[in-house]
Amino acid sequence: SVRQSLPAVNDIQGYLSSHQTSLAQLALQYCNVMMDTPSLRDAFFSGAGVNYGDVLTQPDYSAVNTNGQAVINRLHTKMIGTATSQPTSIEFSTHMGDLMESLCNPDLPADADAEDKNLACGTVNPETRVNRTVEVIKAACGAALGNAATLVQ
């Protein structure tokens, strides 16, 4: 289980590299439950102007759009914060935007067969029946929550 794989004590000296995988799994599971539970999702993104059924990037996938930036801003505010040791909102926005642009681009991965390429954001995954935008927000949430900025602090 994930709990058994987490550090046994609350001490940075007891943190091993193997714990990072467990913490990443825990972060992704948290974000998965949050995004799949409308009341939790709506409470987290309340007032941010996020549209879960809309796209997150510009049409050419070169940058996030207003909807994608709203997701990034809320993740930074609620998960990273403003301590001087944390990534700035600009640094966070750059990296998170790159992640969203890659995950929403139906031409990636470039070397994959057509059936293995990404679904475009705003479309519904035929297997899971989940909107791709929600799947990408889950991934961005997991990346934000499971990164070193939140784990060390």
Side-chain angles (χ1 to χ4, degrees):
S1 85
V2 172
R3 175 64 190 120
Q4 293 170 329
S5 302
L6 295 173
V9 294
N10 188 15
D11 181 359
I12 194 70
Q13 299 300 322
Y15 187 83
L16 304 173
S17 60
S18 62
H19 294 135
Q20 179 63 40
T21 302
S22 299
L23 290 169
Q25 289 174 337
L26 185 62
L28 286 170
Q29 189 63 354
Y30 173 88
C31 293
N32 188 47
V33 169
M34 180 182 75
M35 290 304 296
D36 286 346
T37 308
S39 61
L40 297 175
R41 176 181 66 200
D42 293 344
F44 185 87
F45 288 104
S46 176
V50 175
N51 181 340
Y52 311 112
D54 199 1
V55 297
L56 298 168
T57 64
Q58 298 297 333
D60 65 355
Y61 309 103
S62 64
V64 294
N65 62 15
T66 304
N67 196 39
Q69 194 60 53
V71 171
I72 291 170
N73 292 345
R74 186 51 51 109
L75 291 174
H76 186 269
T77 299
K78 290 200 170 188
M79 293 185 176
I80 305 300
T82 58
T84 57
S85 62
Q86 303 294 57
T88 66
S89 62
I90 293 170
E91 293 167 331
F92 182 80
S93 182
T94 299
H95 294 295
M96 200 57 61
D98 290 346
L99 175 66
M100 286 182 177
E101 292 154 26
S102 295
L103 293 176
C104 288
N105 188 336
D107 295 327
L108 295 176
D111 59 350
D113 294 330
E115 66 271 3
D116 294 327
K117 296 208 183 267
N118 291 334
L119 288 173
C121 284
T123 61
V124 175
N125 184 327
E127 294 176 18
T128 63
R129 302 221 185 287
V130 175
N131 187 301
R132 179 66 177 168
T133 298
V134 171
E135 291 175 337
V136 171
I137 295 172
K138 285 179 189 180
C141 172
L145 187 58
N147 82 65
T150 59
L151 299 178
V152 175
Q153 295 296 330

